[in-house]
Amino acid sequence: MRVGLLTGGGDVPGLNAAIRAVVKRGEGEHGHTIVGFRHGWRGLADGDVMPLTRSHIRNVLPTGGTLLGTARYHPHADDGGLDAVRATLEEERIEALICIGGDGTLHAASKVAESGVRIVAVPKTIDNDVWGTDRSIGFDTAVNIATEAVDRIHTTAESHNRVMIVEVMGRHAGWIATTAGIAGGAELVLAPEEPFDIDRVVRFLQHRHRAHASFSIIVVAEGAVPLEGSSMQYETQLGPFGEIVAGAISERLGAEIADRTGFDTRVTILGHVQRGGTPTPADRILGSRLGVAAIDAVSAGESGVMTALRGDDVVLVPLTDIAGKVKQVPAEMLEVARALA
Amino acid sequence: MRVGLLTGGGDVPGLNAAIRAVVKRGEGEHGHTIVGFRHGWRGLADGDVMPLTRSHIRNVLPTGGTLLGTARYHPHADDGGLDAVRATLEEERIEALICIGGDGTLHAASKVAESGVRIVAVPKTIDNDVWGTDRSIGFDTAVNIATEAVDRIHTTAESHNRVMIVEVMGRHAGWIATTAGIAGGAELVLAPEEPFDIDRVVRFLQHRHRAHASFSIIVVAEGAVPLEGSSMQYETQLGPFGEIVAGAISERLGAEIADRTGFDTRVTILGHVQRGGTPTPADRILGSRLGVAAIDAVSAGESGVMTALRGDDVVLVPLTDIAGKVKQVPAEMLEVARALA
Amino acid sequence: MRVGLLTGGGDVPGLNAAIRAVVKRGEGEHGHTIVGFRHGWRGLADGDVMPLTRSHIRNVLPTGGTLLGTARYHPHADDGGLDAVRATLEEERIEALICIGGDGTLHAASKVAESGVRIVAVPKTIDNDVWGTDRSIGFDTAVNIATEAVDRIHTTAESHNRVMIVEVMGRHAGWIATTAGIAGGAELVLAPEEPFDIDRVVRFLQHRHRAHASFSIIVVAEGAVPLEGSSMQYETQLGPFGEIVAGAISERLGAEIADRTGFDTRVTILGHVQRGGTPTPADRILGSRLGVAAIDAVSAGESGVMTALRGDDVVLVPLTDIAGKVKQVPAEMLEVARALA
Amino acid sequence: MRVGLLTGGGDVPGLNAAIRAVVKRGEGEHGHTIVGFRHGWRGLADGDVMPLTRSHIRNVLPTGGTLLGTARYHPHADDGGLDAVRATLEEERIEALICIGGDGTLHAASKVAESGVRIVAVPKTIDNDVWGTDRSIGFDTAVNIATEAVDRIHTTAESHNRVMIVEVMGRHAGWIATTAGIAGGAELVLAPEEPFDIDRVVRFLQHRHRAHASFSIIVVAEGAVPLEGSSMQYETQLGPFGEIVAGAISERLGAEIADRTGFDTRVTILGHVQRGGTPTPADRILGSRLGVAAIDAVSAGESGVMTALRGDDVVLVPLTDIAGKVKQVPAEMLEVARALA
């Protein structure tokens, strides 16, 4: 069987572990030929293929990024993308497709599955907001990087009596902000799940600095927004690809806080470092397990499903079940972040 | 309310996060007084108390070990231990007890609960074999340390054409061995779940080194044993506390392999480094969440339960449900380790 | 003898190792009493003292920041600062002073020494540009953090075909930029030592991306400037304390490159994370050695000197020798960065 | 010009950085062809060559080990090794040779140079005991690994009231032991430079545990030995290659201490993990600089020299100057380790 493989959307650590798993298991157990598409859906539409054999995946387990390359393009019916995808699959005699990606890729996979292509998806996103799986590939590494940054900023905040704001990723859900906030002992976590009241933020800081402390750390998700009707005006700023502009909310928040409290306030925007570098063991294991499960699933004739982690187990979830849903941070974790500030 | 707190058994990274959570949440939300017992159950039996307030838990979040100290002692009815425990609780006017520990502590907690003491347990063990929870405190850090060691040994194995054996912890279950094996790309994982056939191990190595490779890495859990009736004789060696003697299985295995294959074979025993040092974010978060859940549970009148992680949620599990059970590595993970070798 | 101790300027990892060394050696070997001044020279001028005994330095070796706190204030003759300093020293019966800091502190120390106070300085700065010592405290940790960031960005640059610009600290010298550039395998290092020609930068990128590569990483020091008379206009932007505004050069450079090449170009500003967190072993050792040398030197009657690392040895350097000098990156290292791009 | 390149002796992190530097600089600046010999001097004697071009060194900068492989063999005149080396060099038309290695390699290089071959050496050894250079490749990474281990063991020692012994490498010099001891805050460092008196060790531990502490960490170099005539008998144990048997001194020392003090005493032997894995930035930079200097030196007609780090500079040192010398830890550093215990 010839099985196609692509990685779509932003790169995250752990993708190469998943690619390696598909190839090793596909060749070794099932005797398949794995065909890679370069630069995600763009390569699938354009017929940009590369062979994927054991020699291509040597030593990639501990590496970040994706050896297939990726792009933010997704195929649509009305721009001829879906037709181009089907044409390539036919030309390359691909009988099944495995696509590793986030929201956009899962949505595209759903559409492609509807057109009769056998397809299995693997969830990756450092935002960890894919519905139906406890974890997506890349999240654990991002949390480690963000926590390390909060740890580092802690010492300098304390030495200089500052309010330090750390902006992390998380557009629709505050997974990185909440976990790095808890792990790093932040005083305040601002997540998209709960629009914040700037007046309460300011009162909290003033109370804290008056009472006993001389510094504070605020971890803010890029997708955090002020409470509607509150005294801070803010419009989410979007970039050319519809992504949130890095630094927009944190710079604005820093200016508000400095202005209203007079405290020395500094902003750090983690940005791209969150999504690169050596994957943590957890991301290598997750990539490996979900990759093996994906190739096993297509070999067993499954289609239109996503491999997912549920507790200690790997399961298959119908793509139609997760469409349009965002997995947000549970209230219990938000409460833990608040309780331990 | 006066709530007692102790940590029992071996120390692991993340204990201080759990202690901090109990104290912060206990004081802040519930208005409790938290009383610490030094050196685990020994201190509870001996009345060795220390106050635990916010000032005692400053800056402990990123630290390893346990600020309460710990010991391997557990109270029994027939040695007067349980009576001593009850006497101390009465004398200190402790209305509820939170104990953080592994198998031994959970068993002791169950016994103490039966005698009418309000008690909630929190699971910790780098072996990750506590039934009823996806993760125990300390496991994630241990996996990170073990994987880093496998990564390091990979480069030296490859440069020198060696068989390298890495022994990790795991008496009844091979969680560290399997996960570090997958994450580190080991050629072979030997876990207690599946007694190994030395003849097959030797044939595998010979085949691999003849075919294409010049080195191999074997990750072996301390509790791994040869298949009964196979050609390798081995008796598990126990130390003074009933613990498995470090290095016993790996030294023996190394000698067998060197003898039977003639390959240059080296052994590394990770030992104590696996259980020390800065906890990973995942262990800090797990400790924080389970700690908050524990103090919330005792405040709500719960008793005889363990706080546990299940998927994205924190739940309570009756101690009677987990007694005598060991959570072993699922077959799917063992298969992933084998498939990706 | 009563010996005063302060840390001045920005905080760096390794300060606590130096403080610990002064206290342990001062108490243990010499029988001195060590008196700490909070928040650097500000505390010395204001008489803000704290005792420093063995109990204050427990467990601080692996911690970042400075337990004494610091501030960017330096005393001057004409603002009454020097008089205030002398008044505090007299009032506290301080016979000798050890001050740990960068340029500003070394300059202030020199002035205080001239007025007859026995004083020994210890160099710290992540910029590593203090004349007379191979290394200053904090530099090695900053290089590790910056290199890790370049490593991380490498994988995402490669996966997405981007030009990635990483801005690091270094106002008058490009030590972090050059070392992190070499260690991270950057394609281009822009350092204050050599003003850059934007036309050559653009030609280099175009040639590289045409020839074979699809991505490039540029490490730029905050103090890098375009060649005078070249086609890029840029004024160094200074903040309220005379510090270079973070992101000024890199944002400007990114815009120029994107504009002139059309390449997808992204900027990451490391900022405060460079100066925080657990010090590397090298910084703990350097802090420990220079701290011991400082207290030994004041005990031996030395004054007006700085402890310094030269090869494998610790030596004393007269403060008058280093005044007004900046240690820049040697031409050989700049050439290595260029040769290995 | 055709330039040969080999790596000899044990592998260390940073070798690939040096190989990469030789190839990039050799091809790019000098237009040389670089010929690699596999498995060190063994490959040079046997004619086991591999081409070394830019494509072979892609992505190797952050990797441990040596892509050329290595072996512990060194050529001698009386076993025909030197003749075989010269024959290979002639057959492959090699005009100059760069060899990266430790004591054995430097000695062999010296012999080969005497026979008229143009040769430049680059020092690597995690022991850091090569005379004439401040640092050898691999040392900084080993110190980082050893310090991390001491940090980890610190927390478990403290939680359990134990004496923990950590054995690190260092046969003739205690560089790793002393630096990791200072950086990790060990209570005692035992190095080959100063044979230890077991009676004083025991008295120190008894005094410390009686006075105030409940745990102690001892870092011991594999080459440490008891003082002659003291009450502890010990013969250094050598393995098949003349190397010190791992664990010999530490197991023996642990037994003595447990026996004489009754303290719970545990031993950890770091072993192979010290020499593997991702090199620190310092080792990547050192490898890069010494590699560039080596290819520049052979291109300039130099021979019989070693590239070396002296302060901030890279210099050339005649091989005849360093023969038979061991660079030991300066007394000042040993004193710092003692003073800060």
Side-chain angles (χ1 to χ4, degrees):
Chain A
M1 191 156 112
R2 288 171 63 84
V3 179
L5 177 62
L6 66 83
T7 53
D11 72 304
V12 301
L15 289 176
N16 286 337
I19 293 169
R20 172 179 175 270
V22 169
V23 174
K24 276 208 162 182
R25 179 72 165 185
E27 280 195 357
E29 175 73 15
H30 301 293
H32 298 331
T33 297
I34 312 296
V35 178
F37 294 100
R38 281 201 189 84
H39 305 305
W41 295 94
R42 165 59 59 208
L44 179 52
D46 293 354
D48 189 356
V49 303
M50 66 177 277
L52 271 177
T53 66
R54 280 174 168 259
S55 71
H56 296 91
I57 53 167
R58 250 195 107 227
N59 293 331
V60 304
L61 187 56
T63 62
T66 162
L67 63 93
L68 283 172
T70 185
R72 296 206 182 256
Y73 167 81
H74 298 112
H76 296 281
D78 52 9
D79 68 351
L82 284 180
D83 288 340
V85 160
R86 273 192 305 266
T88 300
L89 291 174
E90 198 163 320
E91 188 167 327
E92 295 289 333
R93 291 165 295 114
I94 304 292
E95 294 164 70
L97 184 66
I98 294 173
C99 48
I100 312 172
D103 278 356
T105 289
L106 297 172
H107 182 73
S110 194
K111 293 292 159 204
V112 172
E114 279 172 24
S115 75
V117 175
R118 199 197 298 180
I119 195 164
V120 170
V122 176
K124 72 86 209 157
T125 166
I126 63 172
D127 284 4
N128 200 40
D129 60 356
V130 172
W131 185 270
T133 183
D134 291 351
R135 288 288 173 273
S136 295
I137 300 170
F139 172 62
D140 190 70
T141 306
V143 173
N144 275 266
I145 297 169
T147 300
E148 191 182 76
V150 174
D151 279 351
R152 293 197 184 286
I153 278 171
H154 196 101
T155 63
T156 203
E158 203 166 354
S159 299
H160 285 281
N161 298 350
R162 285 172 179 160
V163 175
M164 303 290 280
I165 298 172
V166 184
E167 180 182 310
V168 298
M169 290 188 177
R171 180 170 187 168
H172 303 294
W175 283 96
I176 298 179
T178 311
T179 51
I182 294 173
E187 275 68 41
L188 212 54
V189 169
L190 303 181
E193 282 82 354
E194 298 181 334
F196 63 88
D197 180 344
I198 186 71
D199 294 319
R200 292 188 58 178
V201 168
V202 165
R203 277 200 306 272
F204 171 83
L205 293 173
Q206 284 169 331
H207 176 76
R208 174 175 154 85
H209 287 231
R210 204 160 40 220
H212 57 286
S214 54
F215 72 96
S216 294
I217 295 176
I218 302 174
V219 181
V220 56
E222 60 180 349
V225 288
L227 199 63
E228 223 169 305
S230 70
S231 70
M232 176 177 157
Q233 304 304 317
Y234 173 75
E235 285 283 321
T236 301
Q237 294 173 40
L238 300 182
F241 303 95
E243 84 281 11
I244 293 186
V245 171
I249 182 62
S250 55
E251 296 285 8
R252 185 77 177 70
L253 181 69
E256 289 284 339
I257 289 173
D259 200 45
R260 296 180 185 215
T261 65
F263 297 151
D264 185 4
T265 305
R266 306 292 175 98
V267 172
T268 297
I269 302 149
L270 286 194
H272 299 286
V273 295
Q274 285 166 93
R275 54 187 330 122
T278 299
T280 57
D283 271 328
R284 299 187 208 174
I285 296 162
L286 184 60
S288 298
R289 293 175 78 186
L290 297 188
V292 165
I295 190 77
D296 283 0
V298 297
S299 304
E302 295 280 353
S303 184
V305 294
M306 178 184 82
T307 59
L309 185 74
R310 291 274 181 84
D312 280 332
D313 301 317
V314 171
V315 300
L316 299 179
V317 180
L319 285 170
T320 48
D321 280 14
I322 64 173
K325 293 181 191 156
V326 168
K327 189 183 74 161
Q328 290 199 311
V329 178
E332 170 261 341
M333 281 193 70
L334 294 168
E335 178 61 24
V336 169
R338 205 162 19 231
L340 303 185
Chain B
M1 191 157 113
R2 288 172 62 84
V3 179
L5 178 62
L6 66 84
T7 54
D11 72 304
V12 301
L15 288 176
N16 286 337
I19 294 169
R20 171 179 176 270
V22 169
V23 174
K24 276 207 163 184
R25 179 72 164 185
E27 280 196 357
E29 176 73 15
H30 302 292
H32 298 332
T33 298
I34 312 295
V35 178
F37 294 100
R38 283 201 189 85
H39 305 305
W41 295 94
R42 166 58 60 207
L44 178 52
D46 292 354
D48 188 357
V49 303
M50 67 177 277
L52 272 177
T53 66
R54 282 176 166 257
S55 72
H56 295 93
I57 53 166
R58 250 196 108 226
N59 293 331
V60 304
L61 187 56
T63 62
T66 162
L67 63 94
L68 283 172
T70 185
R72 296 204 182 258
Y73 167 82
H74 299 112
H76 296 281
D78 51 8
D79 68 351
L82 284 180
D83 287 341
V85 161
R86 273 191 305 266
T88 299
L89 292 173
E90 198 163 319
E91 190 167 325
E92 296 289 333
R93 291 167 294 115
I94 304 293
E95 294 164 70
L97 185 65
I98 294 174
C99 48
I100 312 173
D103 277 356
T105 289
L106 297 171
H107 182 73
S110 194
K111 294 293 160 204
V112 172
E114 279 171 24
S115 76
V117 175
R118 199 198 298 180
I119 195 165
V120 171
V122 176
K124 72 87 209 158
T125 166
I126 63 172
D127 284 5
N128 200 40
D129 59 357
V130 172
W131 185 268
T133 183
D134 292 350
R135 289 286 173 274
S136 294
I137 299 171
F139 172 62
D140 190 70
T141 306
V143 173
N144 275 266
I145 297 169
T147 300
E148 192 182 75
V150 175
D151 280 352
R152 294 196 184 287
I153 278 170
H154 195 102
T155 62
T156 204
E158 202 167 355
S159 299
H160 285 280
N161 299 350
R162 285 173 178 160
V163 175
M164 303 289 280
I165 297 172
V166 184
E167 181 181 310
V168 298
M169 289 186 177
R171 179 170 189 169
H172 303 295
W175 283 97
I176 299 179
T178 311
T179 50
I182 294 173
E187 275 69 41
L188 212 53
V189 169
L190 303 181
E193 282 82 352
E194 300 182 334
F196 62 88
D197 180 345
I198 186 71
D199 295 319
R200 291 187 59 178
V201 168
V202 165
R203 277 200 305 273
F204 170 82
L205 293 173
Q206 284 169 332
H207 175 77
R208 173 176 154 84
H209 287 230
R210 205 160 39 220
H212 58 286
S214 54
F215 72 96
S216 295
I217 294 176
I218 302 174
V219 182
V220 56
E222 61 180 348
V225 288
L227 199 62
E228 223 170 307
S230 70
S231 69
M232 174 175 158
Q233 304 304 318
Y234 173 76
E235 286 283 321
T236 301
Q237 294 173 40
L238 300 183
F241 302 96
E243 83 281 12
I244 294 186
V245 171
I249 183 63
S250 55
E251 296 285 7
R252 186 77 178 72
L253 181 69
E256 288 284 338
I257 288 173
D259 200 43
R260 297 182 184 213
T261 64
F263 296 151
D264 185 4
T265 305
R266 307 293 175 97
V267 171
T268 297
I269 302 148
L270 286 194
H272 298 286
V273 295
Q274 286 167 91
R275 56 186 328 121
T278 298
T280 57
D283 271 326
R284 300 188 209 174
I285 296 162
L286 185 60
S288 298
R289 293 175 79 186
L290 298 188
V292 165
I295 190 76
D296 283 1
V298 298
S299 304
E302 297 279 353
S303 184
V305 294
M306 177 184 82
T307 59
L309 185 73
R310 291 273 180 85
D312 280 331
D313 300 317
V314 171
V315 300
L316 298 179
V317 181
L319 285 170
T320 48
D321 281 12
I322 63 173
K325 294 181 192 157
V326 169
K327 189 183 74 163
Q328 290 198 311
V329 177
E332 170 261 340
M333 281 192 72
L334 294 169
E335 178 61 23
V336 168
R338 204 161 20 229
L340 303 186
Chain C
M1 191 156 112
R2 288 172 63 85
V3 179
L5 177 62
L6 67 83
T7 53
D11 72 304
V12 302
L15 288 176
N16 286 338
I19 293 168
R20 173 179 174 269
V22 168
V23 174
K24 275 209 161 180
R25 178 73 164 186
E27 279 195 358
E29 175 75 16
H30 301 293
H32 298 332
T33 297
I34 312 296
V35 178
F37 294 100
R38 283 201 189 84
H39 304 305
W41 295 94
R42 166 58 60 206
L44 179 52
D46 292 353
D48 189 355
V49 302
M50 66 177 277
L52 271 178
T53 66
R54 281 175 166 257
S55 72
H56 296 91
I57 53 166
R58 249 196 109 226
N59 294 331
V60 304
L61 187 56
T63 63
T66 162
L67 63 94
L68 283 170
T70 184
R72 297 207 182 257
Y73 167 81
H74 298 112
H76 297 281
D78 50 9
D79 67 352
L82 284 180
D83 288 341
V85 161
R86 273 193 304 267
T88 299
L89 291 174
E90 198 162 320
E91 189 167 325
E92 296 288 334
R93 291 166 295 113
I94 304 293
E95 293 164 71
L97 185 66
I98 294 174
C99 49
I100 311 173
D103 277 357
T105 289
L106 297 171
H107 182 74
S110 194
K111 293 294 160 202
V112 172
E114 278 172 23
S115 76
V117 175
R118 197 198 300 180
I119 196 165
V120 169
V122 176
K124 72 87 210 158
T125 166
I126 62 172
D127 284 4
N128 200 40
D129 60 356
V130 171
W131 186 268
T133 183
D134 292 350
R135 288 287 172 275
S136 294
I137 299 170
F139 172 61
D140 190 70
T141 305
V143 173
N144 274 266
I145 297 168
T147 300
E148 191 181 76
V150 174
D151 280 351
R152 293 196 184 286
I153 278 171
H154 196 101
T155 63
T156 204
E158 202 166 354
S159 299
H160 285 281
N161 298 350
R162 284 172 178 160
V163 175
M164 302 290 279
I165 298 173
V166 184
E167 181 181 309
V168 298
M169 289 187 177
R171 180 170 188 168
H172 303 295
W175 282 96
I176 298 179
T178 310
T179 51
I182 293 173
E187 275 68 41
L188 211 55
V189 169
L190 304 181
E193 282 82 352
E194 298 182 335
F196 62 88
D197 180 345
I198 186 70
D199 295 319
R200 292 189 57 179
V201 168
V202 166
R203 277 200 305 272
F204 170 83
L205 292 173
Q206 284 170 331
H207 175 77
R208 173 175 155 84
H209 287 230
R210 205 159 40 219
H212 58 285
S214 55
F215 72 96
S216 295
I217 295 176
I218 303 175
V219 182
V220 56
E222 61 181 348
V225 287
L227 199 62
E228 222 170 308
S230 70
S231 70
M232 174 177 158
Q233 304 304 317
Y234 173 76
E235 286 283 320
T236 301
Q237 293 174 40
L238 300 183
F241 302 95
E243 83 282 12
I244 293 186
V245 171
I249 183 62
S250 55
E251 296 285 8
R252 186 77 177 72
L253 181 68
E256 289 282 338
I257 289 173
D259 200 45
R260 296 181 186 213
T261 64
F263 297 151
D264 185 4
T265 305
R266 306 292 175 97
V267 171
T268 298
I269 302 148
L270 286 193
H272 299 286
V273 294
Q274 286 167 91
R275 56 187 327 122
T278 299
T280 57
D283 271 327
R284 300 188 208 174
I285 296 162
L286 184 60
S288 298
R289 293 174 78 186
L290 298 188
V292 166
I295 190 77
D296 283 0
V298 297
S299 304
E302 296 280 352
S303 185
V305 294
M306 177 184 81
T307 59
L309 185 74
R310 291 274 180 84
D312 280 332
D313 301 317
V314 171
V315 300
L316 298 178
V317 181
L319 286 170
T320 48
D321 281 13
I322 64 173
K325 292 180 191 158
V326 169
K327 189 182 74 161
Q328 290 198 311
V329 177
E332 170 262 340
M333 281 192 72
L334 294 168
E335 178 61 24
V336 168
R338 206 161 19 230
L340 303 186
Chain D
M1 190 156 114
R2 287 171 63 83
V3 179
L5 177 62
L6 67 83
T7 54
D11 73 303
V12 302
L15 289 176
N16 286 337
I19 293 170
R20 173 180 175 269
V22 168
V23 173
K24 275 207 163 182
R25 178 71 165 186
E27 279 195 358
E29 174 75 15
H30 301 292
H32 298 332
T33 298
I34 312 296
V35 178
F37 295 100
R38 282 201 189 84
H39 304 305
W41 295 95
R42 166 58 60 206
L44 179 52
D46 292 354
D48 189 357
V49 302
M50 66 176 277
L52 272 178
T53 66
R54 281 175 167 259
S55 72
H56 296 91
I57 53 166
R58 249 195 111 228
N59 293 332
V60 303
L61 186 56
T63 62
T66 162
L67 63 95
L68 283 171
T70 184
R72 296 205 182 259
Y73 168 82
H74 298 112
H76 296 282
D78 51 9
D79 67 352
L82 285 180
D83 288 341
V85 161
R86 272 192 305 266
T88 299
L89 292 173
E90 199 163 318
E91 189 167 325
E92 296 289 333
R93 290 166 296 114
I94 304 292
E95 294 165 71
L97 186 65
I98 293 174
C99 47
I100 312 174
D103 277 357
T105 289
L106 297 171
H107 182 72
S110 194
K111 293 293 160 203
V112 172
E114 279 172 23
S115 75
V117 175
R118 198 197 297 181
I119 196 164
V120 170
V122 176
K124 73 87 208 156
T125 166
I126 63 172
D127 284 4
N128 201 39
D129 61 356
V130 172
W131 185 270
T133 183
D134 291 351
R135 288 286 173 274
S136 294
I137 299 170
F139 172 61
D140 191 70
T141 306
V143 173
N144 275 265
I145 297 168
T147 300
E148 191 182 75
V150 175
D151 279 352
R152 293 196 184 287
I153 278 170
H154 196 101
T155 63
T156 204
E158 203 166 354
S159 299
H160 285 279
N161 299 349
R162 287 175 177 158
V163 175
M164 303 291 279
I165 298 173
V166 184
E167 181 181 309
V168 297
M169 289 186 177
R171 180 170 188 168
H172 302 294
W175 282 96
I176 299 179
T178 311
T179 51
I182 294 173
E187 274 69 40
L188 211 54
V189 169
L190 303 182
E193 282 82 353
E194 298 182 334
F196 62 87
D197 180 345
I198 185 70
D199 294 320
R200 293 188 58 179
V201 168
V202 165
R203 276 200 305 273
F204 170 83
L205 292 173
Q206 284 169 332
H207 176 76
R208 173 175 154 84
H209 287 230
R210 205 161 38 221
H212 57 288
S214 54
F215 72 96
S216 294
I217 294 176
I218 303 175
V219 182
V220 56
E222 60 180 349
V225 288
L227 199 62
E228 223 170 306
S230 70
S231 69
M232 174 177 158
Q233 304 304 319
Y234 173 76
E235 285 283 319
T236 301
Q237 294 173 40
L238 300 183
F241 303 95
E243 84 280 12
I244 293 186
V245 171
I249 183 63
S250 55
E251 296 285 8
R252 185 78 177 72
L253 181 69
E256 289 283 339
I257 289 173
D259 200 45
R260 296 181 185 215
T261 65
F263 297 151
D264 185 6
T265 305
R266 306 293 174 97
V267 172
T268 298
I269 302 148
L270 286 193
H272 298 286
V273 295
Q274 285 166 92
R275 55 186 330 121
T278 299
T280 58
D283 271 327
R284 299 188 208 174
I285 296 162
L286 185 60
S288 298
R289 293 175 79 184
L290 297 189
V292 166
I295 190 77
D296 283 1
V298 298
S299 304
E302 296 280 353
S303 185
V305 294
M306 178 184 81
T307 59
L309 185 74
R310 292 274 181 83
D312 281 332
D313 300 317
V314 171
V315 300
L316 298 179
V317 181
L319 286 170
T320 48
D321 280 14
I322 64 172
K325 293 181 192 157
V326 169
K327 188 183 74 163
Q328 290 198 312
V329 177
E332 170 261 340
M333 279 191 73
L334 294 169
E335 178 61 24
V336 168
R338 203 159 22 228
L340 303 186

